[in-house]
Amino acid sequence: MSARAALADALQCQDGGWSTMRITTMLVCVVVLGMWVAFCFIEGRFVPITWEMVALVAGSQGAKAAQLRFELGRGGLYAHGYDPAQGEGL
């Protein structure tokens, strides 16, 4: 699987359309962690990650997980005929 296909699979919902929530969650993770890595290089030393940064990343991931749970219900992907091994949006 190419990197482009993997990224498209990560950003699409179960019906194959683009998911704004997934794109936003990925953007929060990339920006927060990217800034942390950049500041480590700028400072020339390891800068401990702050609890605010952890809260942003965990909050965005938790919100996406809660949304998917709300949409699919208790049965999850299997109850709706989706097989996670087959991928989601390809």
Side-chain angles (χ1 to χ4, degrees):
M1 176 185 284
S2 69
R4 184 175 179 179
L7 184 62
D9 187 42
L11 298 178
Q12 291 174 344
C13 49
Q14 284 76 26
D15 64 2
W18 294 100
S19 172
T20 304
M21 185 76 168
R22 287 181 185 213
I23 293 169
T24 304
T25 300
M26 185 73 72
L27 185 63
V28 166
C29 290
V30 168
V31 169
V32 169
L33 296 177
M35 285 178 47
W36 174 61
V37 170
F39 284 125
C40 285
F41 281 114
I42 289 170
E43 290 286 322
R45 63 181 178 85
F46 175 75
V47 178
I49 193 165
T50 63
W51 67 268
E52 292 94 346
M53 293 173 131
V54 172
L56 278 172
V57 172
S60 68
Q61 295 293 322
K64 177 58 194 144
Q67 179 200 22
L68 188 62
R69 173 66 182 243
F70 178 75
E71 288 176 352
L72 297 180
R74 182 175 297 239
L77 292 172
Y78 290 113
H80 295 281
Y82 298 113
D83 183 8
Q86 299 299 319
E88 292 180 13
L90 296 178

